[in-house]
């Protein structure tokens, strides 16, 4: 099914489907688990609209390109343009929040890092960004205190809270908008907490946001 942004009731949100801007290394414990360096400014990359998929449908992973890792991330849906915006200006441009899987071909990425090449082959392939429905901004009391988790086959794999972000959501949106204009329907992924690991066909995934919703899906 063609991807559209949806609310918790399954209704299509009246926004186009755009690009996804992602930040790498926004949680300290995840930086440490991959032995990465602490960035002095955010590491940004983009997934195209063709990377989007509906999380509640089976998650398709590439089967012959090495390990495909889960990265569960808080996703921010943008509802009005942000260009060179200040931190104070970004709040009004947020429609709401959801969860994304930033699917990552880790072996491919390691090779790209070694060669000094861009990450798109590892992170921007078709279907590499399954997205949950979005909850309205007003349904979240404090965007810097949102908990989320991913269970794989009933076992907790990732547990995060936005209070542990190195760069807050508003600071991140402002920083992104200095380089990439964010348009209505664009989505920003805010980084993954620790607990990345390989996914396998038939894995069952339970994905929860702040007690607001749980989505159960499987890897195909
Ligand atoms: Zn990520």
């Amino acid at each position: 099914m063609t991807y559209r942004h949806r609310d918790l009731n399954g209704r299509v949100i009246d926004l186009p489907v755009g690009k996804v801007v992602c930040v790498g290394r926004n949680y300290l414990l995840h930086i440490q688990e991959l032995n990465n360096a602490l960035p002095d400014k955010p590491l940004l990359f983009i997934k195209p609209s063709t990377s989007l998929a509906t999380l509640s449908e089976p998650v398709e992973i590439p089967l012959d390109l090495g390990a495909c890792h889960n990265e569960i991330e808080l996703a921010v849906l943008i509802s009005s343009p942000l260009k060179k915006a200040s931190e104070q200006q970004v709040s009004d441009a947020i429609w709401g929040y959801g969860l994304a899987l930033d699917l990552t071909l880790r072996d491919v990425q390691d090779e790209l890092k070694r060669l000094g090449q861009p990450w798109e082959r590892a992170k921007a392939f078709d279907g590499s960004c399954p997205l949950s429905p979005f909850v309205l901004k007003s349904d979240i009391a404090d965007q810097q205190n949102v908990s989320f988790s991913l269970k794989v086959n009933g076992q907790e794999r990732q547990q995060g809270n936005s209070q542990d972000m190195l760069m807050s959501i508003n600071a991140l949106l402002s920083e992104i908008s200095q380089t990439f204009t964010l348009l209505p329907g664009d989505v920003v992924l805010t980084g993954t907490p620790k607990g990345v690991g390989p996914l396998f066909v038939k894995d069952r995934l339970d994905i929860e946001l702040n007690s607001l919703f749980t989505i159960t899906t499987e890897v195909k």
Side-chain angles (χ1 to χ4, degrees), residues 142-146 161-165 167-170:
D142 177 0
Q143 67 175 2
Q144 293 309 141
N145 188 12
V146 178
N161 189 299
S162 56
Q163 68 192 354
D164 297 323
M165 289 178 182
M167 185 173 242
S168 71
I169 293 168
N170 286 1

Side-chain angles (χ1 to χ4, degrees), residues 11-103:
R11 283 189 292 257
V12 170
I13 298 169
D14 187 22
L15 287 171
V17 171
K19 64 185 177 294
V20 183
V21 183
C22 309
V23 60
R25 305 178 193 171
N26 203 24
Y27 287 83
L28 188 60
L29 295 177
H30 170 63
I31 293 171
Q32 291 170 344
E33 77 177 340
L34 292 185
N35 293 315
N36 283 322
L38 199 65
D40 50 6
K41 55 181 179 176
L43 189 164
L44 303 178
F45 59 95
I46 286 182
K47 291 177 184 252
S49 59
T50 43
S51 69
L52 293 173
T54 305
L55 185 58
S56 55
E57 293 173 3
V59 173
E60 213 169 327
I61 60 171
L63 295 177
D64 49 3
L65 293 168
C68 184
H69 276 195
N70 55 273
E71 294 191 359
I72 189 77
E73 310 197 6
L74 186 64
V76 181
L77 178 60
I78 303 298
S79 54
S80 56
L82 286 173
K83 183 179 178 69
K84 299 196 188 303
S86 69
E87 278 188 52
Q88 290 70 37
Q89 289 170 320
V90 302
S91 293
D92 289 342
I94 296 175
W95 190 94
Y97 310 92
L99 291 175
L101 273 177
D102 170 17
L103 293 175

Side-chain angles (χ1 to χ4, degrees), residues 155-183:
Q155 305 276 345
E156 189 159 278
R157 169 93 48 112
Q158 289 190 277
Q159 163 76 49
N161 189 299
S162 56
Q163 68 192 354
D164 297 323
M165 289 178 182
L166 296 175
M167 185 173 242
S168 71
I169 293 168
N170 286 1
L172 186 60
L173 296 186
S174 168
E175 169 70 20
I176 287 170
S177 79
Q178 306 307 310
T179 307
F180 309 108
T181 298
L182 291 168
L183 294 174

